[in-house]
Amino acid sequence: ECKENTYSNDKLGCLESKENTYSEGGFSHECKPCPHGMGVAAGKGYVIQSCKWLPCKAGDYLDLKLGCLKCEENTYSKGGFEHECKACPHGKGVTAGMGYDEHSCIWLPCKAGDYLNDKLGCL
């Protein structure tokens, strides 16, 4: 019988859980994978609660119940463990999930009769 965070190998005995897996010990011959979007360091997966959210990629934010989600249109996020996306400055926008930082936001098209000033936007 193996302890928590280990699994039984017929030839080698009890082995530590691998990265992004956990084992509650006993007579299990393999570790269970962490849920999608979650992970744990090798040898640290004792129970499913050992699995923690992995950092999100830029353009996504971390919802603590659902994991990484795309930022909505006209918002951005640097990713990591940010819990919300920031709005683009007034008059600027970006495609959903493509806003990595404020520089990702570009001027929106001007309405008829206005012109675009690179520094001030539509005038």
Side-chain angles (χ1 to χ4, degrees):
E1 184 172 358
C2 295
K3 66 180 178 100
E4 288 180 330
N5 90 319
T6 64
Y7 65 98
S8 176
N9 179 292
D10 292 335
K11 294 179 182 174
L12 302 173
C14 296
L15 301 175
E16 275 193 349
S17 58
K18 293 182 169 49
E19 184 177 31
N20 301 330
T21 67
Y22 68 96
S23 174
E24 296 172 357
F27 297 101
S28 176
H29 288 285
E30 62 185 12
C31 295
K32 296 174 185 172
C34 287
H36 179 73
M38 300 182 103
V40 64
K44 301 293 184 187
Y46 298 94
V47 292
I48 194 169
Q49 290 83 0
S50 302
C51 302
K52 304 295 181 205
W53 289 114
L54 296 171
C56 298
K57 66 180 178 56
D60 291 358
Y61 70 97
L62 180 60
D63 179 292
L64 293 175
K65 291 184 181 173
L66 302 173
C68 295
L69 300 174
K70 276 186 182 181
C71 289
E72 293 181 8
E73 186 176 35
N74 302 329
T75 65
Y76 65 92
S77 168
K78 293 180 182 178
F81 297 102
E82 290 191 23
H83 296 289
E84 59 185 25
C85 300
K86 296 180 173 102
C88 287
H90 180 74
K92 290 187 173 186
V94 66
T95 304
M98 299 303 291
Y100 310 126
D101 58 25
E102 190 173 329
H103 299 292
S104 301
C105 302
I106 58 172
W107 289 111
L108 295 171
C110 297
K111 64 182 181 195
D114 287 351
Y115 69 95
L116 180 62
N117 176 297
D118 287 340
K119 294 190 184 340
L120 302 174
C122 295
L123 302 173

